[in-house]
Amino acid sequence: MTHEPSPVPRLVARTQEISDPGPLLDLLPVDAPMTWLRRGEGVITWGVAAECRTSGEARFSDASTWWRNVVRVAAVADEVEVPGSGLICLGSFAFADEPGDSVLVIPRVVVGRRGDRFWVTTIGSAAVETPRLETQDAPEPPVNLVFADGALSGAEWEGVVWEAVLHLNAGELDKVVLARDLIATADAPIDVRWPLRRLGSEYEMCWTFHVDGLFGATPELLVRREKGLVTSRVLAGTIRRTGDDEHDLTLAATLARSSKDLEEHEYAVRSVAEALEPYCTSMNVPETPFVLHLPNVMHLATDVAGVAHDSGASVLELAAALHPSAAVGGTPTKLAVEMIAEIEGMDRGRYAGPVGWMNAHGDGEFGIALRSAEIDGARVRLFAGCGIVAGSDPEAELAEAQAKFVPVRDSLAGA
């Protein structure tokens, strides 16, 4: 599928500071809602002022060009001037080059929070009246939700993992990330605000997002660009939590010493550092990861940081340079992505692709669309993936994938 070049609109954006309007997710209406939130901070948006749909290998560059052209002709009045105020867009990009269907959306209304500052931005072809911000009626839960295997059953996916391990043991590559899907179907169209509210509450240390039907709570920040500082959080190496704090501390220590997980993590960190290096004047890459504790799992994590060149690529251009990292593709990445296309048995869509927001200065945040799902009416397609190395056990990897389904799966459940 190809997309015609999106027209470049002449937009007027106006940001005003406001008093605390309450929890942002409670304000979100049903009109094309989008979110990017962590610990209650970030932005919610609704309505569509303009959008750019791109596809294929040039999806990132085409979207970047369109955004630069939009910014060049826009009129922006921003009295707040913090990350997320002013003219912004939200985007979600496909994992693979083909079909590669991706989107940038400029919302009509943005409500944001940064620390103790709050604002509302209106965007349109002319000045838009500032909306009245009100707590919305609570969304209804999905009706009679039923789960079923996606492209492959659990046993079939274990077979795919075993096939990958054979290639890895033969020395063809070092790591490959394999994903599987799960299908949820309800009796009536699902209000995406239902899972968003639950994810935002239960996984507040993650980035709760929704862009054009793709939603989730990702623990992994692909890249942030803010006033010259570039940062990226790398997650690779996972162990499931038991709910027993003392036992979980023991498991965390086991994870931190696991040669299999440390090897997988090292590949991912190296991938990110090498991709960012051409865009930075200096970099800090910690030698030892820390253990990130989430409600359902624990990850090995490393925060990579750098100082951007003065000319400065935008956060979207940095995301394009980083994607796909070893954390979602494998090592060597080109060979791993080819193997994914050959044996995984499904189209990932925008799962594990970059998702996030960007402002008129090229600053912003893009995460990796993990712990995510695509919603289409009464149908939701959930995704989960695992890093496979030579020592991987297919049964253990299936259990890890099942654990990674939990956040979105539970968010869809009834009250």
Side-chain angles (χ1 to χ4, degrees):
M1 179 178 179
T2 59
H3 297 290
E4 292 296 322
S6 297
V8 176
R10 292 182 175 272
L11 297 175
V12 177
R14 182 187 179 199
T15 297
Q16 296 175 285
E17 191 151 12
I18 59 173
S19 57
D20 184 352
L24 297 189
L25 282 173
D26 291 353
L27 306 175
L28 200 61
V30 296
D31 177 20
M34 297 191 293
T35 64
W36 180 263
L37 293 168
R38 180 174 183 266
R39 302 179 72 179
E41 294 190 24
V43 295
I44 62 165
T45 81
W46 59 90
V48 177
E51 67 176 28
C52 172
R53 295 191 176 270
T54 65
S55 63
E57 194 173 347
R59 61 195 182 282
F60 293 105
S61 58
D62 287 349
S64 293
T65 298
W66 180 79
W67 178 243
R68 284 196 301 270
N69 288 335
V70 168
V71 169
R72 181 172 49 82
V73 298
V76 181
D78 181 3
E79 66 180 43
V80 180
E81 295 187 342
V82 297
S85 66
L87 179 65
I88 70 165
C89 62
L90 286 84
S92 174
F93 290 81
F95 175 83
D97 288 348
E98 295 298 338
D101 292 330
S102 306
V103 65
L104 275 186
V105 181
I106 303 174
R108 287 186 63 81
V109 178
V110 181
V111 183
R113 175 190 173 189
R114 175 88 167 196
D116 59 359
R117 301 190 72 184
F118 301 84
W119 67 91
V120 60
T121 302
T122 56
I123 306 171
S125 56
V128 177
E129 183 178 351
T130 302
R132 183 177 178 182
L133 302 181
E134 298 178 313
T135 298
Q136 302 293 303
D137 292 338
E140 296 294 325
V143 179
N144 296 332
L145 201 66
V146 177
F147 290 90
D149 286 327
L152 301 176
S153 68
E156 290 170 331
W157 193 75
E158 284 184 345
V160 171
V161 173
W162 180 244
E163 182 180 353
V165 170
L166 292 177
H167 287 286
L168 291 158
N169 286 335
E172 296 177 24
L173 68 169
D174 298 316
K175 171 191 169 184
V176 63
V177 179
L178 295 176
R180 65 184 302 251
D181 60 347
L182 189 67
I183 305 299
T185 307
D187 285 353
I190 297 170
D191 187 337
V192 72
R193 298 176 304 158
W194 173 267
L196 288 176
R197 285 193 180 193
R198 301 190 73 174
L199 290 168
S201 171
E202 296 170 21
Y203 293 86
E204 63 173 13
M205 293 302 292
C206 298
W207 286 266
T208 298
F209 65 87
H210 174 236
V211 178
D212 195 53
L214 184 76
F215 76 94
T218 180
E220 190 152 359
L221 182 69
L222 179 62
V223 64
R224 174 189 294 121
R225 183 183 185 273
E226 184 176 332
K227 297 179 180 178
L229 181 64
V230 176
T231 54
S232 178
R233 171 163 287 183
V234 182
L235 303 183
T238 305
I239 196 165
R240 190 168 187 169
R241 297 191 69 163
T242 65
D244 180 326
D245 290 344
E246 187 172 340
H247 186 44
D248 285 347
L249 286 174
T250 302
L251 290 176
T254 302
L255 178 65
R257 294 192 301 266
S258 165
S259 57
K260 179 260 186 187
D261 291 292
L262 288 169
E263 180 183 18
E264 178 186 345
H265 190 80
E266 182 184 352
Y267 292 145
V269 171
R270 190 188 314 150
S271 166
V272 167
E274 290 175 353
L276 285 179
E277 188 175 15
Y279 300 94
C280 296
T281 57
S282 62
M283 293 189 64
N284 176 43
V285 184
E287 294 182 1
T288 305
F290 64 94
V291 178
L292 177 67
H293 295 250
L294 298 176
N296 60 318
V297 295
M298 293 176 285
H299 298 288
L300 291 179
T302 296
D303 288 333
V304 177
V307 177
H309 288 301
D310 291 340
S311 55
S314 73
V315 67
L316 179 55
E317 290 166 324
L318 293 172
L322 285 165
H323 179 76
S325 72
V328 295
T331 307
T333 302
K334 184 176 184 298
L335 293 177
V337 170
E338 289 172 356
M339 181 177 289
I340 289 167
E342 181 181 340
I343 72 172
E344 192 172 67
M346 70 172 194
D347 174 13
R348 292 189 177 192
R350 290 176 286 154
Y351 165 72
V355 59
W357 67 274
M358 175 171 55
N359 69 12
H361 306 294
D363 285 351
E365 296 175 317
F366 273 84
I368 301 176
L370 306 175
R371 316 296 193 275
S372 63
E374 289 181 345
I375 188 168
D376 183 10
R379 183 178 185 270
V380 180
R381 185 178 177 220
L382 296 76
F383 302 94
C386 301
I388 312 301
V389 295
S392 293
D393 172 64
E395 186 176 349
E397 298 298 342
L398 180 62
E400 181 179 320
Q402 294 295 92
K404 289 176 177 176
F405 279 130
V406 167
V408 174
R409 184 168 184 160
D410 284 358
S411 78
L412 291 166

